[in-house]
Amino acid sequence: MAEFSIIRQYFQSLTSQSLTSPHTQDVGIGDDCAVTSLPQDMQLVSCVDTLVAGRHFPLDTSAHAIGWKSVAVNLSDLAAMGAEAHSILLALSLPKIEDAWLAEFSRGVADCCKKYNVQLIGGDTTQSPTLTISITALGWIQTGQAILRSGAQVGDLIVVSGEIGSAAYALRHPKSTLQTTLDYPQPQLALGQSLVGFASSMIDISDGLAQDLGHILSASQVGAEIQLEQIPIANELAQLSIDQRFADVLAGGDDYQLCFTISPDHFQRWQAQSAQRAMTPVTIIGQIQQDMACHYFYQNQKFTPKESGYQHFA
Ligand code: ADP
Ligand code: MG
């Protein structure tokens, strides 16, 4: 099967999925570029993330999960800015054409797109020795409202969504009850958007909480105190030794939860206004401080983490 029939058979229909988005796609798959009208007073928010087989997911991951996760990790970056997701472009490099694999992969892409009301508007299909999926995600946000890493202020609360460390646990325990947290991350788009105008800084947790929070701290030129016992974890992690538990929580990665900072006053107001909305629960885990270091405490005792998070070139 040639490149064009792959596009036609597996991807073309994803542009025209019936979506509730008020923004129409002017030109989708089939021309040299997609053409999109930007809503008034909005800035384009864009990112790209590449997943390499054996490096970013185990080789035995199902094609459906690979499709889902490739989309989800990109939407998670949009969520971390507070942006509204609009569309994706998919660059697919395949060692060989396998119909069963492509059918499942494209179903995974479609399922994630559908859940988050996003359309596939273009891409590229090539042959390569290693299965590689590179997705560009596009979204938008009211001009000047994007939540950056650099806005944390001394005294702000440090807050995370969901449970942390589950994906790292699942990676070490194949086929455990936490497998779906690793294979099917849930980008926190609704939560991210709700925090616009409230949070002072935000990041998504892809490389481990310690490292990703560290990016906020250095961009904002502040430090932090974290109470480790406050960090929400799955029951499976509570059974682990303290060292292993906090290795998964702090250095694990692949959680795709949000970590944000917010003043106590804004946090109260945000809670009051978002109480009715169904969103992933959030938990305060610490506070921003002046001293430019990150101090961890476990039950009031100082705790020094042993690992530092995912290294892309390790
Ligand atoms: P070009 O030669 O101009 O790069 P292509 O022949 O690669 O165009 O692609 C034809 C059309 O199909 C384009 O609209 C492109 O965006 C789309 N496309 C190609 N591969 C994919 C894919 N894997 N997923 C979605 N759209 C794709
Ligand atoms: Mg062209």
Side-chain angles (χ1 to χ4, degrees):
M1 194 186 334
E3 173 195 345
F4 299 109
S5 41
I6 295 179
I7 299 166
R8 216 176 308 116
Q9 182 165 352
Y10 297 107
F11 299 114
Q12 192 120 33
S13 65
L14 273 71
T15 286
S16 51
Q17 282 192 81
S18 56
L19 296 167
T20 54
S21 168
H23 309 293
T24 53
Q25 184 62 28
D26 303 310
V27 179
I29 293 174
D31 217 309
D32 290 307
C33 292
V35 182
T36 312
S37 299
L38 271 185
Q40 237 188 344
D41 303 321
M42 295 284 198
Q43 286 174 304
L44 179 68
V45 183
S46 49
C47 59
V48 59
D49 238 320
T50 300
L51 282 82
V52 178
R55 178 96 196 147
H56 298 100
F57 52 86
L59 292 170
D60 61 357
T61 308
S62 79
H64 184 268
I66 296 169
W68 175 286
K69 188 166 181 171
S70 306
V71 179
V73 301
N74 278 283
L75 299 184
S76 178
D77 281 324
L78 293 181
M81 307 299 286
E84 181 183 336
H86 172 264
S87 47
I88 59 164
L89 295 134
L90 164 65
L92 185 57
S93 307
L94 294 167
K96 56 182 184 302
I97 293 168
E98 260 181 82
D99 274 307
W101 191 91
L102 274 165
E104 277 304 285
F105 172 79
S106 60
R107 199 168 62 80
V109 169
D111 286 347
C112 192
C113 283
K114 201 159 198 172
K115 169 148 187 199
Y116 296 99
N117 206 26
V118 160
Q119 42 190 323
L120 178 67
I121 60 169
D124 195 25
T125 308
T126 60
Q127 211 246 329
S128 105
T130 307
L131 169 64
T132 306
I133 303 123
S134 189
I135 291 190
T136 299
L138 305 171
W140 40 60
I141 195 160
Q142 207 80 38
T143 300
Q145 295 293 300
I147 305 174
L148 310 183
R149 296 177 178 185
S150 53
Q153 303 279 332
V154 175
D156 283 354
L157 305 171
I158 300 167
V159 185
V160 295
S161 65
E163 292 174 339
I164 309 299
S166 301
Y169 178 97
L171 195 58
R172 292 189 304 103
H173 299 88
K175 302 195 165 60
S176 76
T177 43
L178 295 179
Q179 186 69 36
T180 53
T181 63
L182 179 65
D183 288 344
Y184 292 95
Q186 310 285 316
Q188 299 297 315
L189 284 157
L191 175 63
Q193 285 161 42
S194 80
L195 286 161
V196 171
F198 294 99
S200 54
S201 72
M202 187 149 65
I203 195 166
D204 69 318
I205 306 173
S206 53
D207 296 336
L209 175 61
Q211 193 178 119
D212 290 320
L213 173 62
H215 294 314
I216 286 187
L217 301 181
S218 51
S220 303
Q221 304 236 314
V222 291
E225 265 186 30
I226 300 293
Q227 278 76 45
L228 290 172
E229 68 278 5
Q230 306 289 342
I231 300 177
I233 52 171
N235 291 333
E236 287 81 346
L237 275 87
Q239 315 297 321
L240 300 172
S241 71
I242 306 276
D243 279 337
Q244 185 59 64
R245 182 188 319 165
F246 294 120
D248 284 350
V249 167
L250 295 174
D254 261 3
D255 289 311
Y256 301 101
Q257 295 295 337
L258 293 175
C259 174
F260 59 95
T261 61
I262 186 167
S263 72
D265 174 51
H266 275 191
F267 188 60
Q268 261 190 357
R269 283 200 269 157
W270 172 78
Q271 276 188 312
Q273 101 145 30
S274 57
Q276 309 303 328
R277 288 194 247 168
M279 275 185 302
T280 309
V282 302
T283 311
I284 299 170
I285 62 162
Q287 201 153 22
I288 296 292
Q289 55 163 28
Q290 195 135 35
D291 166 22
M292 273 189 61
C294 192
H295 300 291
Y296 295 96
F297 296 91
Y298 181 65
Q299 294 170 346
N300 295 321
Q301 301 288 311
K302 196 153 172 42
F303 180 91
T304 307
K306 296 204 163 46
E307 295 172 56
S308 64
Y310 186 76
Q311 297 296 327
H312 292 267
F313 289 93

